[in-house]
Amino acid sequence: MAHRIRENDTIEVLTGKDRGRRGKVQRIMTRESRVLVEGMNMVKRHQKASGDLRQAGIISKEAPLQISNVRLVCTQCNTGVRVGFQLLEDGRKVRVCRSCQQMIDV
Ligand SMILES: [Zn+2]
């Protein structure tokens, strides 16, 4: 199945402390149905100095979000929207905004 969210998409967070914020998708974790979004869902982690250059101490890091808790931002609607799919005549499958029907992948 094609994915509704892809890397480098701008998404809006629907739940949690970052609700309403927007960010860019860094990584899709398909198996876990999670996405990693730049600067979103930051958590502090204690890290031991291990290996060569790793710094010990507390670091801030993004934690993945559930893919169902984010929505793709439609540039036309300027909000997080539901995504549908449309099959083009040349056989390509593109994502469309369910609100304004604008094609997202062109
Ligand atoms: Zn739209």
Side-chain angles (χ1 to χ4, degrees), residues 61-90:
K61 220 179 157 213
E62 289 103 348
L65 293 155
Q66 278 285 346
I67 210 158
S68 57
N69 290 341
V70 302
R71 269 191 188 170
L72 186 68
V73 172
C74 169
T75 48
Q76 185 111 341
C77 301
N78 195 30
T79 185
V81 295
R82 295 177 70 90
V83 175
F85 293 99
Q86 194 178 321
L87 202 60
L88 300 183
E89 281 176 14
D90 63 6

Side-chain angles (χ1 to χ4, degrees), residues 74 76-77 81 97 99-102:
C74 169
Q76 185 111 341
C77 301
V81 295
C97 166
S99 301
C100 67
Q101 308 303 322
Q102 180 190 241

Side-chain angles (χ1 to χ4, degrees), residues 8-106:
N8 294 319
D9 278 349
T10 299
I11 56 86
E12 191 174 287
V13 180
L14 299 177
T15 56
K17 61 180 177 185
D18 291 315
R19 186 153 56 111
R21 288 184 62 208
R22 289 176 190 185
K24 200 165 140 191
V25 175
Q26 285 189 317
R27 200 146 62 88
I28 310 278
M29 297 146 101
T30 311
R31 257 185 312 154
E32 296 94 341
S33 294
R34 285 170 187 271
V35 288
L36 202 64
V37 186
E38 206 171 65
M40 219 55 85
N41 203 24
M42 299 299 284
V43 289
K44 286 196 171 72
R45 281 201 184 134
H46 295 267
Q47 187 168 281
K48 280 185 206 157
S50 62
D52 320 318
L53 297 163
R54 289 284 240 7
Q55 221 183 327
I58 298 167
I59 53 156
S60 274
K61 220 179 157 213
E62 289 103 348
L65 293 155
Q66 278 285 346
I67 210 158
S68 57
N69 290 341
V70 302
R71 269 191 188 170
L72 186 68
V73 172
C74 169
T75 48
Q76 185 111 341
C77 301
N78 195 30
T79 185
V81 295
R82 295 177 70 90
V83 175
F85 293 99
Q86 194 178 321
L87 202 60
L88 300 183
E89 281 176 14
D90 63 6
R92 281 189 305 145
K93 199 174 180 185
V94 295
R95 294 179 298 172
V96 293
C97 166
R98 285 246 189 102
S99 301
C100 67
Q101 308 303 322
Q102 180 190 241
M103 277 186 233
I104 289 153
D105 309 301
V106 184

